[in-house]
Amino acid sequence: MIPMQDPNSVRLLTSRRKTRRHDYRVPFELRYDDRALIVDGLNISRSGIAGIVRGIVPLAERTRVRVHLHHYRPIEGTVRWTRGREVGISFIEDLANHPRLHALVARVENGQPALPAGST
């Protein structure tokens, strides 16, 4: 006999994300130690960025990285998660210290293109 589970004991699954993710399909670079990885962007938010690493690279969770986005000053981050070649980076620095990057995220949040026309 299979015991019935008390419906009051079931925890609801909630998102741990503090900020909403937005499509960001622009390649970027991750640098750590003496390595540089090209990553195809998936999404971006005020708190981090995710993408798919080109190639096979052992990138461990909690690795400190510098995120280099197209024509922006690098921002410090930490690898929060990896799934195969997918990687999620949490920004360590506050976007308030990166006004141009903050403006990029605001543009993407408003449904505008990540890169202005003619900047590729």
Side-chain angles (χ1 to χ4, degrees):
M1 176 180 226
I2 299 173
M4 300 260 316
Q5 187 170 12
D6 179 2
N8 296 324
S9 69
V10 177
R11 290 186 342 198
L12 294 176
L13 296 176
T14 58
S15 175
R16 293 180 357 206
R17 290 191 175 133
K18 296 177 185 172
T19 57
R20 191 167 164 224
R21 303 287 184 213
H22 302 277
D23 278 350
Y24 183 78
R25 305 298 175 160
V26 179
F28 60 94
E29 189 175 75
L30 288 182
R31 293 184 190 172
Y32 66 102
D33 298 332
D34 289 330
R35 299 178 189 221
L37 306 175
I38 302 298
V39 181
D40 292 315
L42 292 174
N43 60 57
I44 193 168
S45 73
R46 293 175 188 266
S47 63
I49 190 166
I52 301 173
V53 176
R54 293 182 188 174
I56 300 172
V57 176
L59 190 59
E61 291 180 15
R62 294 188 286 269
T63 300
R64 296 232 7 191
V65 295
R66 292 181 65 84
V67 180
H68 293 256
L69 299 168
H70 187 78
H71 297 298
Y72 295 93
R73 183 168 58 90
I75 186 167
E76 295 287 329
T78 301
V79 176
R80 290 286 288 184
W81 56 265
T82 61
R83 279 184 230 118
R85 292 183 1 213
E86 289 186 29
V87 61
I89 307 296
S90 177
F91 297 141
I92 295 171
E93 295 180 76
D94 189 336
L95 284 187
N97 297 326
H98 291 263
R100 291 184 64 230
L101 186 54
H102 186 271
L104 162 73
V105 174
R107 247 192 342 269
V108 172
E109 286 175 341
N110 290 324
Q112 297 172 351
L115 295 176
S119 65
T120 57

